[in-house]
């Protein structure tokens, strides 16, 4: 009965809108018809109010038609999750979310006020497709079955190990940090191995943090706040924390719990994809470091937007550090050097070197480490 009444109401509204459109169209047509015996006159200008009414009516018809199309069968309940409909009335949803309705509907199909589904992989799939920020949900976030006591959380950002019990391992092939370390010890999940990563100097591609701080001091510039884009497990933020500099790290949990590892080191992870606007206000950070996640795999236009978004959050006199950016050697001077040059920053350091691993040799890749300083004023 309810569906029949809704359908009748919808059809009535469509009929009224169509009649109103026809009446206004006839009115406009009557003002333009000329007698065969009369001399041609210039067409009268359409009143703005009439145009607005026509646009409103047409938009209403399109909207009602879309509503009818989503539920063509009155006896069939709409497939759109109820909480997605509710949330869409309260807050706008990122436009890219609408390009992936199946994933979005699956993400928003849950039981309100109960435990949230274990679907962090689904959430990341949406985020990486541009659906960010995700719509909020009214469910309780699951916690690990065996919680780590707060007193046992490491205070040193370079602990000997990270507690496995603070992570929900369901979605990962490895079920412990030791497993991740055995698979690849260079991923950063054994923080004690990372202590020398930003303090040693083995080639011109390296920039130890003590040298970075000295460069800023010589330029009478202060380093207080920073952002590490694609910072892995947060080792740069950890090294800067030991020097009383606050750095937040953008991460994505691709194949491993990077965000949890950053947080367990007493640091702040931002769960943000590279293609989205940085969630930081304009001109407030002193340094932005782009780690190896920023490389030639990013489409050039997207990389250009990223660099200019970095410019947005950097204060005048702040620093941009591209750390071991890799690209094909032939593209470095033709593509990436001009792209970086568009910023108009002062070059403090510019070093290149061959990428000597198997992939680098195969693809003729090189590393580029750059430290640039943003102009004080534009």
């Amino acid at each position: 009965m309810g569906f029949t009444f809704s359908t009748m109401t919808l059809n009535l509204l469509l009929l009224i809108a169509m009649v109103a459109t026809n009446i206004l169209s006839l009115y406009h047509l009557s003002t333009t018809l000329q007698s065969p015996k009369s001399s041609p006159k210039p067409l009268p200008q359409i009143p703005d109010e009439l145009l607005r009414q026509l646009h409103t009516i047409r938009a209403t018809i399109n909207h009602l038609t879309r509503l009818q199309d989503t539920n063509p069968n009155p006896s069939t309940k709409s497939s759109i999750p109820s909480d997605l409909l509710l949330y869409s009335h309260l807050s706008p949803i990122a436009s890219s979310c609408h390009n992936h309705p199946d994933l979005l509907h699956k993400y928003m199909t849950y039981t309100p006020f109960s435990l949230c589904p274990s679907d962090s992989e689904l959430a990341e799939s949406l985020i990486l497709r541009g659906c960010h920020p995700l719509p909020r949900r009214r469910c309780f976030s699951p916690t690990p079955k065996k919680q780590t006591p707060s007193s046992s959380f490491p205070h040193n950002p370079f602990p000997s190990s990270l507690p496995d019990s603070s992570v929900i391992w369901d979605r990962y092939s490895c079920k412990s940090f030791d497993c991740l370390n055995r698979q690849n010890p260079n991923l950063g999940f054994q923080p004690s191995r990372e202590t020398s990563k930003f303090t040693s100097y083995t080639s011109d591609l390296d920039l130890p943090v003590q040298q970075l701080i000295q460069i800023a001091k010589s330029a009478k510039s202060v380093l207080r706040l920073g952002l590490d884009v694609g910072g892995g497990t947060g080792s740069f933020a950890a090294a800067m924390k030991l020097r009383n500099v606050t750095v937040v790290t953008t991460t994505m949990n691709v194949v491993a719990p990077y965000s949890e590892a950053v947080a367990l080191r007493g640091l702040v992870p931002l769960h943000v994809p590279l293609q989205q606007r940085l969630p930081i206000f304009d001109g407030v950070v002193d340094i932005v470091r782009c780690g190896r996640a920023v490389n030639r795999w990013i489409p050039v236009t997207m990389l250009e937007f990223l660099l200019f978004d970095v410019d947005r959050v950097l204060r005048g006199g702040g620093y941009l550090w591209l750390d071991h950016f890799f690209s094909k050697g032939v593209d470095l001077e033709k593509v990436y050097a001009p792209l970086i040059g568009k910023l108009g920053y002062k070059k403090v350091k510019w070093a290149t070197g061959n990428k000597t691993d198997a992939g680098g040799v195969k693809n003729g890749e090189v590393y580029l480490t750059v430290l640039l300083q943003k102009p004080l004023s534009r």
Side-chain angles (χ1 to χ4, degrees):
M1 180 66 183
F3 287 117
T4 304
F5 178 75
S6 300
T7 304
M8 291 176 62
T9 304
L10 183 60
N11 289 333
L12 180 61
L13 287 173
L14 282 169
L15 179 61
I16 294 172
M18 292 176 65
V19 170
T21 303
N22 289 333
I23 291 173
L24 288 171
S25 299
L26 286 172
Y27 166 75
H28 176 236
L29 181 63
S30 66
T31 61
T32 60
L33 290 174
Q34 304 293 327
S35 172
K37 297 180 180 179
S38 61
S39 58
K41 295 181 180 179
L43 292 175
Q45 185 176 2
I46 302 174
D48 291 339
E49 182 61 27
L50 176 59
L51 281 175
R52 282 194 292 270
Q53 291 177 2
L54 284 170
H55 288 315
T56 301
I57 292 171
R58 286 169 182 165
T60 302
I61 292 174
N62 290 334
H63 177 65
L64 292 173
T65 303
R66 284 196 299 270
L67 285 177
Q68 193 175 38
D69 289 342
T70 59
N71 189 19
N73 187 353
S75 62
T76 305
K77 188 177 180 180
S78 172
S79 62
I80 301 177
S82 58
D83 258 38
L84 179 57
L85 288 172
L86 174 62
Y87 186 84
S88 64
H89 288 296
L90 301 174
S91 180
I93 299 176
S95 60
S96 292
C97 294
H98 297 293
N99 297 331
H100 307 282
D102 293 340
L103 291 177
L104 182 62
H105 288 190
K106 187 176 180 181
Y107 177 74
M108 291 299 291
T109 301
Y110 66 97
T111 304
F113 315 116
S114 64
L115 199 64
C116 294
S118 180
D119 57 1
S120 57
E121 189 169 4
L122 174 62
E124 288 209 336
S125 295
L126 280 165
I127 291 173
L128 290 171
R129 287 168 170 80
C131 180
H132 185 265
L134 290 172
R136 290 174 171 170
R137 301 193 292 190
R138 298 177 297 165
C139 57
F140 297 104
S141 176
T143 56
K145 294 179 180 178
K146 183 181 179 182
Q147 280 288 342
T148 303
S150 299
S151 58
S152 64
F153 283 147
H155 292 283
N156 178 5
F158 291 98
S160 58
S161 62
L162 298 173
D164 297 330
S165 57
S166 295
V167 178
I168 299 175
W169 295 94
D170 296 353
R171 59 173 288 200
Y172 306 114
S173 57
C174 272
K175 307 302 179 185
S176 68
F177 287 113
D178 283 341
C179 173
L180 291 171
N181 291 327
R182 288 194 300 270
Q183 284 191 353
N184 188 344
N186 296 318
L187 290 177
F189 289 103
Q190 188 174 351
S192 58
R193 288 173 51 97
E194 301 285 294
T195 51
S196 62
K197 186 172 183 179
F198 291 99
T199 57
S200 61
Y201 185 93
T202 58
S203 75
D204 287 343
L205 294 168
D206 297 324
L207 180 59
V209 291
Q210 55 266 38
Q211 183 183 0
L212 173 65
I213 292 173
Q214 185 58 46
I215 288 172
K217 185 177 179 180
S218 300
K220 298 181 180 180
S221 183
V222 178
L223 297 182
R224 306 156 300 125
L225 300 173
L227 172 67
D228 193 10
V229 179
T233 62
S235 292
F236 174 63
M240 297 301 279
K241 181 180 181 180
L242 296 179
R243 291 157 179 84
N244 297 318
V245 180
T246 301
V247 175
V248 295
T249 304
T250 71
T251 68
M252 291 295 293
N253 280 23
V254 179
V255 307
Y258 287 95
S259 297
E260 291 93 329
V262 174
L264 287 171
R265 300 174 74 173
L267 308 167
V268 179
L270 297 178
H271 197 219
V272 177
L274 293 175
Q275 67 265 41
Q276 295 299 307
R277 191 175 193 263
L278 298 170
I280 294 177
F281 192 66
D282 302 1
V284 294
V285 299
D286 306 306
I287 183 167
V288 175
R289 172 185 173 267
C290 294
R292 299 190 190 187
V294 180
N295 55 62
R296 74 176 181 90
W297 294 341
I298 301 176
V300 174
T301 303
M302 186 183 296
L303 179 61
E304 185 175 58
F305 276 106
L306 172 62
L307 292 179
F308 276 86
D309 200 31
V310 167
D311 176 80
R312 177 184 62 80
V313 303
L314 273 176
R315 65 168 177 82
Y319 293 92
L320 166 60
W321 176 12
L322 293 178
D323 188 6
H324 284 74
F325 175 91
F326 67 83
S327 70
K328 290 186 176 181
V330 294
D331 294 332
L332 183 58
E333 293 301 322
K334 293 182 179 179
V335 178
Y336 296 108
L339 180 61
I340 296 168
K342 288 181 181 180
L343 294 172
Y345 284 13
K346 175 185 176 183
K347 289 183 182 179
V348 180
K349 179 182 178 73
W350 186 286
T352 60
N354 291 327
K355 189 170 181 288
T356 56
D357 61 6
V361 172
K362 176 183 177 181
N363 295 294
E365 294 173 334
V366 295
Y367 279 128
L368 170 68
T369 290
V370 176
L371 183 67
L372 307 169
Q373 187 176 25
K374 181 177 178 177
L376 287 171
S377 60
R378 292 285 189 185

